Amino acid sequence: PAQCGVAIINSTEATLSCIVQDASNLEVQAIYALISASSADAAALDPSSFSCSDDVSSGSSSDFTCTQASQRCCCWLWVGKSGSESNFRVKRRIAGRVLNDACGLQPSQVYEVMTMASGINPLLANAPTFVVSDGQLEITVPHAITVLEKAEVPRGQDAATSRKITMALSASLPGNISCIATTKTLSRAPVSEEIQGDYAATLPSDFVPAFSESDVIGREVA
């Protein structure tokens, strides 16, 4: 009745996209996501694993409502019909956000996601019905800044000179990035090999650089 996948994930939220379709024996009213740390014991593929299954209430929201419990987070999203709407017999795509703070999700950590659909069975006097998906999702929460490194430039040009260094930045969120630059007074003017970062291969072994490699943001230190 519901097939879910991860549409977007960044440092603040994960968006789950689900294809939902009602049947003669199930009118889907809610979608659940059980998020577990990879270090947690495997959860049983059973409705009893979803501790928030009794918390569902009708409403309109694009965000999952989540409750943390130990190394798991149980989330639900209302997708049921309202008023006189007819049974949804065609597939519909539903997207909902899980806020990382609501589940305590940490950057660089791997999480497993189990999903479940719930609703009523018109053939059994609208008895509550739960269907757990037999497939699991896996998500890894990225940092806000995923890569900061010296930029690649066309052949014959230098990314780093005595006046500037061109950096390449990749982030998991759109928007503006503010940078803080620190300066340091050197005992002498650095030579071009130091600025470019290849002095170890081009200058004598007893050469002493004017600054430490660890002082340069984006430069790998062996």
Side-chain angles (χ1 to χ4, degrees), residues 87-175:
N87 199 21
F88 297 112
R89 292 300 176 87
V90 296
K91 293 182 179 179
R92 52 198 170 109
R93 184 176 294 275
I94 304 292
R97 300 187 308 165
V98 175
L99 302 180
N100 295 352
D101 286 346
C103 280
L105 305 185
Q106 300 298 314
S108 300
Q109 297 298 310
V110 179
Y111 297 90
E112 295 176 348
V113 183
M114 184 189 305
T115 58
M116 178 177 71
S118 75
I120 57 176
N121 186 345
L123 303 181
L124 293 176
N126 290 339
T129 304
F130 301 87
V131 179
V132 180
S133 173
D134 57 1
Q136 293 195 26
L137 311 174
E138 186 176 279
I139 60 174
T140 302
V141 179
H143 288 275
I145 296 179
T146 56
V147 176
L148 179 61
E149 60 187 2
K150 188 166 66 176
E152 294 184 3
V153 297
R155 185 184 296 270
Q157 299 183 23
D158 290 326
T161 68
S162 60
R163 292 181 178 273
K164 68 177 182 179
I165 179 170
T166 304
M167 304 298 296
L169 173 70
S170 297
S172 68
L173 289 173

Side-chain angles (χ1 to χ4, degrees), residues 148 150 160 165 167 182 194-195 197 211-221:
L148 179 61
K150 188 166 66 176
I165 179 170
M167 304 298 296
T182 60
E194 289 175 278
I195 298 172
F211 56 87
S212 170
E213 290 286 271
S214 61
D215 293 338
V216 184
I217 297 176
R219 180 171 294 178
E220 296 183 0
V221 180

Side-chain angles (χ1 to χ4, degrees), residues 49-69:
S49 296
F50 293 78
S51 59
C52 61
S53 59
D54 294 331
D55 299 339
V56 174
S57 59
S58 61
S60 176
S61 176
S62 59
D63 293 347
F64 279 84
T65 300
C66 299
T67 304
Q68 295 185 52

